[in-house]
Amino acid sequence: GIYTEIARANTTASGSDYDVFSTPGAQAPATCATSMFVVDDQQQAAPSGSVLYTWNPTTGQTTVSVGPLKNGTTTTDTHGIAAYTTWPNYVFYVDYVSLKLMYYDTVSKTTTPFPNLSAAAASGTLAFDAEGYLYNVSDFKVMYLTPAQVSALIANPATTATWNTGASLSYTGSQGSLWNVADIAIDGDGVMYLLSQGGSTRDFIKVTTTVARTPGAATATVIKTFNNSWYRGMAFIGSDLYIGESGGSQAGTYGGLANIYKINVTTGALTQVTSPAYTVKNVSDMGSCSFPKLVNPPPTGPAYKVQKSIINPDGSVAAAGTTGAPQTLNPDGTVTIDYVITVTAVGTTAGTFP
C-alpha cells in the first residue's frame, strides 16, 4: 500500500504516483475529478468576463462565479482552463490581454497572476497531465511547464520562469496543422487528446505527452473527423471523456443552449448526454483533474497520489518537485533528510485513509 509507494526505488524528491489502499478513516476524491469546470464566454453579465461553471453527469450544472476570469485590472476572457488534484479549488487560465498564466481560487474568489512567467500562446488551450506537467497548445505548437516550475510558482507567484518549448505537431486530416486547437485533455496513460478548431470541421487527434514535450516536428494520429464546427471543450470525469458543443449549432448564433457528449477515445463515437440539464450557451473550454488510466486501469477502489516535499534545515517546507535547500553532512558523511508526505485522493471513488 502506501508504504510501498513512498519507498519505491524510482521515487525521486519530486516524485508522485498513484496507489490504491484502504485503512481506517475516509477521504473523498477531489471535486475537480468528479466534476468539470466549464467556461462560457458569451454570457458576460456584469462584472463582464467569462462565466465559470461546474458540471457533472449526476448533479448537473452549478454557477461558480460570474466574470471571475480577469487579469486584476482589465476585463478579459479565456478559452483555456486547467485543474490539478494538488490544488482542487484552483482554475488555471491564460488571460487574453496579457497572455499571462494565472489562477482563480473558487473558494476565496481571488485571482493570482504569475507576472514573471513568460507569455503563453495567444488563443492557447491548457491541460495538466497526471504527473503535474502543464501544457499550453496553440496552432499545434506545444509549450509546457514542469511540475517543479508549477509548484514554485504556486509557492511564490513572483517567481521568474519560462515556458518550455515542446513539439510542433502535424497530422493528416481535414485541417492538418494549419489551424488552431479548440481544447486538449490528457488521460492517466500519458495520451493527449486534441480537438482542432477552424473551418467547418473538427479533427479529434491524439499524441503521447512524451512526444508533445520533445522539441521538433512530430506527427499526431487522427481518430475521427467531425462535420461540425461547434465542438470546443473536452474534459474527463472519471474514465469518461466529455466534449462540449456550443449553442450556435442549434440557433445559428450563440443564442442557443449548448450540448454535451461522451466521446469514445478509440473510435470518436459520440453519445449525447441529455440529463441533467446543461444550460451553458457557449462552451469556451472545459477542464478537470481526472486522469483515468484507460490502458491498464487500477484495481477497483480509491486512487491516491502520493507526493513528498523536502523539509529544509531551517524547518521550512520546499515546494513539491524541488530539491530544497542545501543540507549539511554529518562528520561521518551521512545526512538525514525529512519529508512532508501529501496524500491526495484523485479517483472518483471515495476511499479510506486516517
Side-chain angles (χ1 to χ4, degrees):
I2 185 172
Y3 299 105
T4 300
E5 171 64 41
I6 296 171
R8 195 178 281 174
N10 63 358
T11 302
T12 65
S14 60
S16 64
D17 211 328
Y18 294 95
D19 200 9
V20 177
F21 58 91
S22 181
T23 56
Q27 179 174 339
T31 55
C32 59
T34 57
S35 297
M36 70 172 75
F37 291 109
V38 182
V39 170
D40 179 355
D41 64 2
Q42 292 295 323
Q43 293 192 26
Q44 296 186 6
S48 60
S50 299
V51 182
L52 183 65
Y53 300 87
T54 61
W55 182 88
N56 75 41
T58 301
T59 60
Q61 176 182 317
T62 302
T63 300
V64 176
S65 188
V66 177
L69 302 185
K70 298 189 291 187
N71 66 8
T73 57
T74 305
T75 299
T76 188
D77 64 27
T78 182
H79 289 178
I81 59 173
Y84 193 59
T85 49
T86 304
W87 309 284
N89 298 321
Y90 293 177
V91 179
F92 295 81
Y93 67 98
V94 174
D95 159 45
Y96 258 26
V97 176
S98 65
L99 298 183
K100 293 291 189 178
L101 179 70
M102 52 194 66
Y103 69 85
Y104 176 75
D105 187 330
T106 60
V107 174
S108 68
K109 310 296 184 184
T110 57
T111 298
T112 301
F114 304 122
N116 297 320
L117 174 63
S118 61
S123 301
T125 59
L126 288 178
F128 280 97
D129 68 14
E131 296 302 312
Y133 286 89
L134 178 59
Y135 300 84
N136 177 226
V137 184
S138 180
D139 295 328
F140 288 92
K141 294 179 175 61
V142 180
M143 300 194 301
Y144 67 93
L145 297 175
T146 67
Q149 286 178 302
V150 176
S151 295
L153 286 164
I154 295 294
N156 178 10
T159 297
T160 299
T162 301
W163 288 91
N164 303 289
T165 299
S168 294
L169 302 175
S170 62
Y171 65 95
T172 302
S174 67
Q175 297 176 29
S177 59
L178 301 179
W179 206 256
N180 212 339
V181 180
D183 203 6
I184 57 177
I186 303 171
D187 67 20
D189 299 305
V191 178
M192 177 187 292
Y193 300 92
L194 305 96
L195 187 66
S196 70
Q197 176 174 309
S200 61
T201 60
R202 291 285 190 267
D203 291 319
F204 182 48
I205 313 147
K206 69 177 181 179
V207 68
T208 67
T209 52
T210 301
V211 169
R213 292 197 303 268
T214 303
T219 303
T221 301
V222 177
I223 300 172
K224 186 177 179 65
T225 295
F226 301 108
N227 293 316
N228 186 326
S229 63
W230 296 95
Y231 297 143
R232 292 181 74 175
M234 292 193 302
F236 281 100
I237 298 178
S239 60
D240 294 318
L241 181 59
Y242 291 85
I243 184 172
E245 179 186 32
S246 293
S249 59
Q250 297 89 36
T253 67
Y254 286 113
L257 299 181
N259 291 321
I260 192 165
Y261 303 84
K262 285 184 184 179
I263 181 169
N264 185 302
V265 298
T266 302
T267 66
L270 300 178
T271 303
Q272 185 172 356
V273 178
T274 57
S275 180
Y278 187 72
T279 60
V280 171
K281 289 187 176 180
N282 180 54
V283 176
S284 177
D285 199 64
M286 296 173 170
S288 77
C289 65
S290 180
F291 308 105
K293 286 185 173 292
L294 304 179
V295 177
N296 295 302
T300 301
Y304 291 89
K305 186 187 76 170
V306 179
Q307 191 170 44
K308 58 185 182 181
S309 303
I310 292 175
I311 299 177
N312 294 318
D314 64 0
S316 62
V317 179
T322 64
T323 56
Q327 305 278 344
T328 301
L329 292 176
N330 298 320
D332 62 358
T334 63
V335 62
T336 299
I337 299 176
D338 294 322
Y339 294 89
V340 172
I341 306 297
T342 303
V343 180
T344 307
V346 295
T348 56
T349 301
T352 58
F353 187 70

